[in-house]
Amino acid sequence: MAAHVADNPAKSRFEVTSGDQGTELAGFAEYFLSEADGEIAFIHTEIDPKFGGQGLGGILAQAALDAARERGLAVLPYCPFIRGWIRKHPEYTNLVPENLRVKFEL
């Protein structure tokens, strides 16, 4: 199954699609974007149980964080899933402002 991640700014979330045609919504990572502050706050991530165990959460997290990096945005990982993913992939820790890493336990 092919997975695809895209930003859906109208819904303030990154969405991962999968399925036989790669078009079925499998999950999303909601965010609050503050362009003025140069920050993106991830607030909730959800994968449909139907797609559980396929690694789609990790694909979603990596794509969303890579997009934040490309845009030069600081990441505020309020979402426990995104925060946990960053802990497992320390090469993404530098996206979180240094003065906030203790707050997010990173």
Side-chain angles (χ1 to χ4, degrees), residues 3 5 7 11-12 20-21 23 31 35-36 39-41 51-54 57 63 69 74-75 78 83 86 90 97 102:
V5 177
D7 187 6
K11 291 189 175 182
S12 297
D20 294 333
Q21 304 295 319
T23 57
Y31 62 79
E35 296 265 6
E39 297 176 340
I40 185 167
F51 293 96
Q54 298 179 28
R69 186 186 307 275
V75 171
Y78 290 102
R83 190 169 52 249
I86 292 171
V102 171

Side-chain angles (χ1 to χ4, degrees), residues 13 28-31 41-46 78-82:
R13 67 187 195 180
F28 55 86
E30 291 179 322
Y31 62 79
F42 288 97
I43 53 176
H44 178 71
T45 302
E46 190 173 313
Y78 290 102
C79 168
F81 182 83
I82 298 292

Side-chain angles (χ1 to χ4, degrees), residues 1-2 21 26 30 35 40 47 50 60 67 69 89 103:
M1 282 190 210
Q21 304 295 319
E30 291 179 322
E35 296 265 6
I40 185 167
I47 297 293
K50 171 180 171 181
L60 175 60
R69 186 186 307 275
H89 300 87
K103 174 183 180 172

Side-chain angles (χ1 to χ4, degrees), residues 4-9 13-17 25 27-29 31 60 63-64:
H4 176 74
V5 177
D7 187 6
N8 183 342
R13 67 187 195 180
F14 285 89
E15 299 174 338
V16 62
T17 54
L25 182 64
F28 55 86
Y31 62 79
L60 175 60

Side-chain angles (χ1 to χ4, degrees), residues 49-73:
K50 171 180 171 181
F51 293 96
Q54 298 179 28
L56 295 176
I59 291 169
L60 175 60
Q62 183 173 6
L65 293 170
D66 285 345
R69 186 186 307 275
E70 288 172 17
R71 293 175 64 186
L73 297 170

